[in-house]
Amino acid sequence: MSAICGFVGDLDGSLIVRMGRLLQQPGAELQVVRHGSVHFGIQGSSEIGVQHLGDTLVACAGYMLTASGLPASARDIADGYRRQGVQFFDDLDGHYSIAIWDASLGTLLLARDPFGVMPLAFAHGENWSAFATEYKALLALSQITSEPDLPAINTFFYNGWAPPGRTFFKDIRPVLPGSAVMVGVKGLKVVRTKPRAYDYDEPRNPAKPRDVLGVIEKSVNSYAYDATLRYGVSLSGGVDSALITALLRKRLPEKKLWTFTVGYGDSDPDIIGARQTSSLLETSHREFIVRPRDLIEILPSTVWCLEDPGGYDAFAHLYALARGVAGRADVLFSGNICDTLFGGMPEHRRLWLGTHLSGAKKILSELRSAELSGTLPASWPTRAIWYATRGRNPAPAPCSTPVEGSRLVADQLELADRHSPLFQMLCSAVMSWDNRMGAQEALAAEFGLKFRMPYANKHLIDLALRIPDAQKVGPRQVKVILRRAAELVLPRAITHRKKYIQQFPYDSEMADVIDHLCSRLINPHRSRRFTIVNNADVRRLLRRRARTYKDIEVRWLWNAITAEIWAQQFIDRREAFLSDKCGDIGPISI
């Protein structure tokens, strides 16, 4: 595991040391390479992650793969870029964040893998540019203000993520996944790298399950190249991680293979399903139980790692899982992205219903609008469905920022009137993915783990863009083609098992914890330059009697709580990031 940071231009060279102190690489020394006014720093695998070749300086983080699936080094990146320029990244695969200084062009190039498994953020001003795999390192620069991006935060309140291309800070931007940003004397230029969704026609020819399995297996094998490492899988009750586990077992039949599951207890469907999968595939299995009361300790650390918060309950669970895995495995595999590629997300089912059932699009849109606005649906048919499923009262609207009410939220149901809407939805994801995958890498990096997400492989993205909608979602099932491929190596009891959302039970204990967090964090009398959470919105959401919270109430309050934790960690302590003692900063205590 490695992390990188650096800058170009009119900045004090000693800042690179301060930036390095803010990178969360346990026990790693910052290695600095200088070339005139260019300063690159790397923590971790510096022997393969940095290269100075002629007028080209390269720093890499992650796990890079050649077009043939073999590991690539910083020297390979430098040679490839000198031969082909930015087109070299069309064939580069793996999980990577790469910075290149091209002195011949006077250009800083920043590149990121297709789904942004490796995080990378940057900022630039007059005569300077800076980058880091964790944006907290950028806060060491006084040129970057502490002004929050309120529309981005408001979007987070509504959908749980900052919008693509934005962070919670106005001056800091992520490099968009699947792109290369070129910062030079003529300004900023963004170049899309392959696979580019606009290169694909609407898919018509059905895929064969064995071909799908073959591409997945090739990807898994490329991420398990070093047989000396200890491999583990983040195993849920679903088919995605079970398939990775089966293929790893096939790849390394004599090697001890770990599986790890996190959940709320013995009745958690993920715990139950993962036990069954582990028993079948004969893995060394470990479970981690997280209770709502554990959030008081876990949540600040999770937000500190994620930087921009997001992901609701799942990311607090994943923090606990990564902490438990540390010391037991070197490499942690995850089945994420599979739902995005093969049609397994709730949004895919919603879009399918809006496309195939008469009147469903209008009803689903009205339900979503009512949920976001805190009002009852307008039409009587939709209102009747609301009454039957959610009661006779409107759901509370999400919180907002107190100053800026705008948000950047699009309804995927707009695609329902187009041909192959699931294909269009995947195209949209490939072209403008948000930062949620980089968040998972950040959690693993906190504990020195190498993180692998085989479904984010370029060959798999290419394959998914060629699979017709009918092979993804059907009347009774999602991820149709993926399940058929998995049946070639797994029993139907696993491949057709229902997928559950990883979350806490929203019981009285959860309600008490939410009340405690709100009482400790949301203070209407707090004095700060920027107020992030509208306190009146939080008070409106809080329960009035000793009852449990509804799912939607937990979601809205969760966003308010994590946004306030973010503000206290990054805005309220902004001056500490500018200090030579910035390496002592860490999560707040609640």
Side-chain angles (χ1 to χ4, degrees):
M1 179 56 215
S2 55
I4 58 175
C5 64
F7 53 81
V8 174
D10 295 340
L11 294 174
D12 183 348
S14 64
L15 286 173
I16 192 69
V17 177
R18 188 182 300 164
M19 293 175 72
R21 292 193 185 114
L22 291 164
L23 296 175
Q24 55 190 58
Q25 295 300 308
E29 291 288 333
L30 181 72
Q31 305 294 319
V32 179
V33 180
R34 298 177 175 86
H35 181 71
S37 64
V38 181
H39 294 70
F40 279 13
I42 182 167
Q43 282 187 349
S45 304
S46 58
E47 70 277 3
I48 62 169
V50 66
Q51 185 71 42
H52 192 176
L53 191 62
D55 56 6
T56 303
L57 184 61
V58 175
C60 310
Y63 185 73
M64 301 161 293
L65 295 169
T66 65
S68 57
L70 297 175
S73 68
R75 177 59 184 252
D76 297 323
I77 306 304
D79 287 340
Y81 174 76
R82 285 163 66 87
R83 289 194 313 269
Q84 298 176 257
V86 72
Q87 289 183 337
F88 166 74
F89 294 100
D90 282 343
D91 293 324
L92 187 67
D93 209 345
H95 312 327
Y96 57 80
S97 293
I98 296 172
I100 298 177
W101 169 248
D102 187 336
S104 65
L105 299 177
T107 297
L108 174 67
L109 184 147
L110 305 171
R112 199 170 173 203
D113 63 75
F115 268 115
V117 177
M118 281 298 300
L120 184 62
F122 72 103
H124 64 102
E126 187 175 356
N127 299 321
W128 66 271
S129 301
F131 65 90
T133 43
E134 299 155 45
Y135 76 46
K136 58 176 70 72
L138 296 174
L139 298 178
L141 278 62
S142 61
Q143 290 80 358
I144 295 173
T145 72
S146 59
E147 185 175 358
D149 186 334
L150 294 179
I153 296 173
N154 223 43
T155 302
F156 160 76
F157 284 135
Y158 279 75
N159 67 5
W161 292 100
R166 311 279 281 268
T167 74
F168 279 19
F169 280 109
K170 232 175 187 179
D171 284 353
I172 299 175
R173 292 287 179 265
V175 176
L176 273 175
S179 67
V181 175
M182 305 174 73
V183 188
V185 293
K186 295 183 179 179
L188 186 149
K189 179 182 178 181
V190 179
V191 178
R192 297 294 314 187
T193 58
K194 288 183 178 180
R196 292 180 283 265
Y198 51 71
D199 290 339
Y200 291 77
D201 296 324
E202 178 184 332
R204 300 185 183 279
N205 298 320
K208 296 178 181 179
R210 189 163 296 280
D211 292 341
V212 173
L213 180 65
V215 178
I216 297 172
E217 183 171 9
K218 181 179 178 181
S219 179
V220 169
N221 290 347
S222 67
Y223 290 107
Y225 194 77
D226 187 348
T228 66
L229 297 174
R230 297 172 296 171
Y231 290 101
V233 182
S234 175
L235 185 63
S236 71
V239 64
D240 310 345
S241 57
L243 181 54
I244 289 176
T245 307
L247 294 174
L248 275 173
R249 170 57 73 214
K250 180 181 176 182
R251 169 75 167 176
L252 305 165
E254 304 301 324
K255 192 174 179 63
K256 184 176 184 179
L257 179 61
W258 281 94
T259 49
F260 305 95
T261 304
V262 62
Y264 59 77
D266 286 340
S267 61
D268 189 323
D270 264 353
I271 294 286
I272 296 169
R275 283 178 186 170
Q276 295 169 351
T277 301
S278 169
S279 176
L280 175 74
L281 297 176
E282 299 180 340
T283 67
S284 298
H285 191 59
R286 188 67 182 262
E287 296 169 357
F288 307 107
I289 304 302
V290 182
R291 309 291 187 187
R293 60 181 175 271
D294 297 326
L295 287 171
I296 297 169
E297 179 258 328
I298 287 176
L299 209 48
S301 298
T302 303
V303 175
W304 176 255
C305 293
L306 297 179
E307 297 175 336
D308 288 354
Y312 307 118
D313 317 28
F315 278 83
H317 281 88
L318 290 174
Y319 176 91
L321 183 139
R323 182 171 62 182
V325 171
R328 294 184 173 91
D330 304 307
V331 181
L332 182 63
F333 279 77
S334 167
N336 275 13
I337 288 293
C338 186
D339 284 337
T340 299
L341 296 181
F342 295 102
M345 300 169 67
E347 290 87 348
H348 291 116
R349 169 58 73 185
R350 183 168 173 261
L351 183 55
W352 187 92
L353 292 171
T355 304
H356 289 81
L357 298 184
S358 177
K361 177 185 174 184
K362 181 176 184 295
I363 290 172
L364 291 168
S365 293
E366 285 188 5
L367 289 172
R368 179 61 174 162
S369 177
E371 185 179 80
L372 294 177
S373 64
T375 60
L376 290 171
S379 70
W380 280 108
T382 308
R383 188 171 293 193
I385 294 174
W386 182 280
Y387 288 160
T389 58
R390 310 191 187 195
R392 303 193 67 83
N393 296 315
C399 292
S400 63
T401 54
V403 178
E404 176 60 69
S406 64
R407 62 187 189 277
L408 308 168
V409 180
D411 190 346
Q412 295 286 0
L413 274 179
E414 295 173 0
L415 300 172
D417 296 329
R418 302 173 67 176
H419 290 293
S420 298
L422 297 178
F423 165 71
Q424 301 293 342
M425 187 175 176
L426 178 56
C427 287
S428 176
V430 170
M431 296 303 293
S432 57
W433 193 242
D434 57 39
N435 225 28
R436 70 188 74 180
M437 293 303 110
Q440 295 182 72
E441 163 65 31
L443 294 176
E446 172 72 6
F447 301 100
L449 296 169
K450 297 176 172 66
F451 190 65
R452 303 289 183 259
M453 202 179 296
Y455 292 112
N457 180 278
K458 282 189 176 183
H459 297 292
L460 263 172
I461 300 170
D462 173 77
L463 173 67
L465 285 164
R466 301 179 189 277
I467 296 176
D469 284 12
Q471 288 192 292
K472 293 182 177 179
V473 179
R476 297 182 180 87
Q477 201 176 63
V478 297
K479 295 189 291 193
V480 177
I481 185 65
L482 186 279
R483 294 181 192 277
R484 290 188 61 195
E487 285 175 8
L488 298 173
V489 292
L490 290 167
R492 285 176 62 87
I494 292 177
T495 62
H496 286 65
R497 185 188 290 146
K498 183 179 178 181
K499 171 69 174 178
Y500 292 89
I501 298 173
Q502 192 173 56
Q503 64 180 42
F504 294 100
Y506 296 156
D507 54 14
S508 58
E509 183 186 356
M510 184 67 172
D512 290 342
V513 169
I514 287 176
D515 290 346
H516 174 79
L517 292 170
C518 287
S519 67
R520 295 299 300 270
L521 292 166
I522 312 296
N523 184 351
H525 305 296
R526 184 184 302 277
S527 176
R528 62 157 61 115
R529 182 182 173 193
F530 300 106
T531 300
I532 302 302
V533 184
N534 191 328
N535 291 308
D537 289 344
V538 177
R539 291 195 298 272
R540 169 178 52 79
L541 283 166
L542 290 174
R543 58 181 178 163
R544 296 292 180 267
R545 296 178 297 277
R547 64 171 179 84
T548 59
Y549 284 108
K550 298 177 182 178
D551 288 14
I552 191 67
E553 292 172 321
V554 173
R555 189 189 309 171
W556 296 157
L557 285 168
W558 184 282
N559 287 349
I561 289 166
T562 53
E564 182 59 30
I565 291 173
W566 174 86
Q568 291 186 28
Q569 293 192 146
F570 293 104
I571 288 188
D572 292 359
R573 302 188 297 176
R574 179 68 177 89
E575 292 302 316
F577 287 88
L578 302 173
S579 165
D580 287 335
K581 296 183 179 180
C582 60
D584 298 331
I585 305 174
I588 62 170
S589 297
I590 297 177

